[in-house]
Amino acid sequence: KSFQTAAWQVDMVCEMFDALDECQSVLKAARVIKVLPEGFVQVGPEGADIVTDSIIVHQSSPILFPVGYAKEHSITLQGPKGDNVDLDENGSADEVLNWVSFLKRKGYKIAPDHFFYQTRMSDVPFTMGMHLEAIDQNGKVLRPATVKAIKGRLVLIGFDGWEE
């Protein structure tokens, strides 16, 4: 599949890592605010600051995910303020965005799954408990680490000797 031919449109929604979030431990509801030439899109986390917090990325960027990716892989999904509370089947508050009610209210279109980078589990060269060395993004230091979780194409790395 060629990412150049994906027909992105303004107001299509997806999930994304917030490039400004140091830990990148959550995904955010995101929306395309501009389609640019050569397969680039301007996309931002949904909310009042969508334009100021937006970034320009190629549509094949690994920071973009289809709607439902966070739920499928038990990753926290943040939506705009006031949209993050949903009631689960027991009537308890659950701090996740409810895409169904959000899309019903807003009328945005979901970017199709085939627009995104697809990975098979066999493509992920890591296994749970695997020991490796990883770069600490805060200190830019190589440290011993362990694979804590594999969530689709995302791998959660824990630095040995650090708290969770």
Side-chain angles (χ1 to χ4, degrees):
K1 168 185 118 36
S2 170
F3 285 105
Q4 293 293 331
T5 60
W8 285 85
Q9 299 170 9
V10 171
D11 288 339
M12 277 188 166
V13 294
C14 61
E15 297 174 7
M16 70 179 275
F17 271 126
D18 183 350
L20 303 176
D21 178 15
E22 284 184 12
C23 294
Q24 293 191 344
S25 59
V26 300
L27 293 179
K28 293 190 175 183
R31 182 166 43 97
V32 173
I33 55 177
K34 188 180 267 187
V35 177
L36 303 162
E38 303 297 324
F40 287 87
V41 291
Q42 183 177 359
V43 61
E46 188 61 48
D49 296 328
I50 187 170
V51 174
T52 56
D53 290 347
S54 69
I55 57 172
I56 295 173
V57 296
H58 193 267
Q59 59 194 11
S60 63
S61 173
I63 71 166
L64 300 177
F65 299 85
V67 166
Y69 189 92
K71 184 174 184 176
E72 178 182 347
H73 296 286
S74 301
I75 300 170
T76 300
L77 176 66
Q78 290 181 346
K81 289 181 181 175
D83 274 305
N84 284 346
V85 178
D86 187 25
L87 297 180
D88 64 16
E89 60 275 356
N90 300 322
S92 300
D94 190 15
E95 288 292 323
V96 296
L97 176 70
N98 181 323
W99 272 117
V100 174
S101 63
F102 179 78
L103 292 171
K104 186 182 256 187
R105 280 193 329 276
K106 299 292 187 175
Y108 298 142
K109 183 177 179 181
I110 295 174
D113 287 353
H114 68 271
F115 280 19
F116 301 90
Y117 183 84
Q118 302 293 319
T119 302
R120 295 179 308 272
M121 285 306 292
S122 61
D123 294 336
V124 179
F126 300 99
T127 57
M128 290 283 295
M130 180 182 277
H131 296 285
L132 51 102
E133 292 178 337
I135 295 177
D136 166 10
Q137 293 298 314
N138 294 323
K140 309 290 188 213
V141 176
L142 191 63
R143 300 184 185 277
T146 302
V147 174
K148 299 290 186 180
I150 299 172
K151 298 181 179 228
R153 62 183 164 93
L154 299 176
V155 179
L156 177 65
I157 304 295
F159 292 107
D160 296 348
W162 287 23
E163 294 179 20
E164 291 296 317

